[in-house]
Amino acid sequence: MALNSKIPAGEMNQKWEDYKGHVKLVNPANKRKIEIIVVGTGLAGASAAAALGELGYKVKAFCFQDSPRRAHSIAAQGGINAAKNYQNDGDSVFRLFYDTVKGGDYRAREANVHRLAEVSANIIDQCVAQGVPFAREYGGLLSNRSFGGTQVQRTFYAAGQTGQQLLLGAYSALERQVALGTVTQYSRHEMLEVVIIDGKARGIIAKNLVTGEIERHFGHAVLLCSGGYGNVFYLSTNAMGSNVTAAWKAHKKGAFFGNPCFTQIHPTCIPVSGDYQSKLTLMSESLRNDGRIWVPKAKDDNRRPTDIPEEERDYYLERRYPAFGNLVPRDVASRAAKERCDEGYGVGTTKLAVYLDFADAIKRYGRIEAGKQGNHNADDATVITLGKEVVKEKYGNLFDMYAKITGENPYETPMRIYPAVHYTMGGLWVDYELQTTIPGLYALGEANFSDHGANRLGASALMQGLADGYFVIPYTVGNYLADEIRTPAIPTTHPAFEEAEKAVKDRLSTLMNIKGNKTVESFHKRLGKIMWDKCGMARNAQGLQEAITEIQQLKKEFWSDVRIPGEIGGMNPELDKAGRVADFIELGELMCLDALNRNESCGGHFREESQTEDGEAKRDDANYSYVAAWEFKGESQWEVNKEALNFEIVKPTQRSYK
């Protein structure tokens, strides 16, 4: 199938304006007759549902959590990017666009990224109007900090809980629409199938996770805002419930899956401590603003970090990448940490960790504070006390979290960090309008293959989710729905709904009737280990081929030996989890296939066969400058469709942060 990305003609900085000026519209009276389903209520879903409800559409919003407030967007810590140039340090829409395309290692679609940069400034105004408590400077202006992959300060933040504050803003906008009756909220509901009638998405089959009932819901259009699939690795920074099921059901019904192997490994996580662990905890990238990353210069140095003198420390990011230092992009920082640990310089009990040290920042801030008080000869103790207060104000909740989890005081001793799976740049393939290859089915936020190419810059996930929901989808979905105003609501007794519901029920009863001996969790753990070892921070052809074989074997075993306690009716979280893990197993196979197919290194996808002399990712633009959009053809069978990437403005070069 030929992929039509529907990129508007014209100059890059005019495309979105021209699109909005010529797009089809739906008048207010017709909007009231049109129903839209939104699956997921994180930043993308909540903002889309609120914006569409505000416009007058009839919206149904679904989330599997007990409240939209529980969406995983709350876990984002460090901030949200916007090209406002408050610092007067050289930022602009063009520079945000440029940094994002370069940061994604030239594997993103320029037109989408430019639009994202354009609407970024509006997001901040929208959120301030909603009462989001962004940090402010002494004079009352919004504060900014640095994030990886940029040399300007463009990241707006609310301490270390930006995602939570932004979600509360979007949630309040959503709840306002619920109160006004334009949005109906379905919590504790999981989408298990998309319903297609005459080639168009016309609804979903959802399961009420409390009663176990299977429900049918009609919509003139369906928006998937169901997040990423990082939990395919079992251990990740994602919430335990985060899954790929909604996107995967759409994929199996004909929606192409774009770049599934593009996974982001976040460099700043609390290291794994044992086999009993079920998730990992993120320490915000904002800590790299002020923290310095290092390892001892001697292998197997077991001294306490505070006992290792300055000249015996290797600040390896500052050494290797002097221009960006500790603020290199995530993929670069993660691989550098892995390289040091693989070479034997790791720290802590597992030796799979490096230090993130705030001692210098505490002293620097302390001297500034003492200076403000006119005390220019303050002693060390005073300087450190004052400095700790500043760090506490900026990052306090992150430091508290670290202390609770590790039992160590990060104000006194450096944090130990190691890379972990965090975000997925791959997802359902969408065109410029965010529509998948199924007409009427859209994907927003992390659920689509997104604007981040092969590596997302920090603080850009929140930006993309809110851009898609507040500023893009209200225009683009109208373009489709303008042709649907004569389509009456299709009754859910339609044969397509009957068929979809039967498929869901059959699958659930098949799972319940296996009655094997192994838990769902044990299969998920095994899948995660295969994925992390062979399709994680580094990949090679042999490992990926082995992984595909192992995953196919794991799938056979799952469908013959999984044990699900309880009943099919009523509340059964183990049954819900089994369905999600079954989907993860199939996705894992496709991820390995995609990684095997892409014979180059780019961003988060590092093929060991393709690296420069000094161990950096080596792209192959002649052969791989495309989006791999995979079409499902049957069990363990996919066909790749290629969307060529053309770079009019940001010409691909070897990425350098040196």
Side-chain angles (χ1 to χ4, degrees), residues 1 3-4 6 201 222 224 250 254-256 428-431 433-444 447-448:
M1 172 178 166
L3 291 166
N4 177 9
K6 295 190 201 157
V222 177
L224 299 183
F256 291 5
L428 293 177
W429 182 90
V430 291
D431 60 22
E433 298 188 309
L434 306 184
Q435 190 167 223
T436 66
T437 46
I438 298 173
L441 182 71
Y442 293 78
L444 284 66
N448 70 29

Side-chain angles (χ1 to χ4, degrees), residues 518-593:
K518 297 196 177 80
T519 63
V520 174
E521 198 82 350
S522 69
F523 283 104
H524 195 179
K525 260 187 180 172
R526 282 165 62 193
L527 172 67
K529 183 156 176 46
I530 297 168
M531 294 300 295
W532 179 248
D533 289 348
K534 294 177 180 174
C535 195
M537 258 195 286
R539 296 121 188 232
N540 60 57
Q542 186 189 338
L544 290 164
Q545 280 157 346
E546 288 168 4
I548 290 168
T549 308
E550 288 169 35
I551 292 168
Q552 287 173 348
Q553 184 52 44
L554 188 72
K555 182 177 174 180
K556 281 198 188 94
E557 211 180 311
F558 176 90
W559 285 99
S560 60
D561 200 22
V562 73
R563 178 170 184 78
I564 301 165
E567 302 298 322
I568 198 161
M571 193 175 187
N572 189 343
E574 204 64 14
L575 176 58
D576 304 332
K577 194 160 70 177
R580 294 168 195 165
V581 172
D583 292 335
F584 274 139
I585 291 172
E586 293 181 7
L587 166 70
E589 185 180 348
L590 178 59
M591 287 170 72
C592 293
L593 180 64

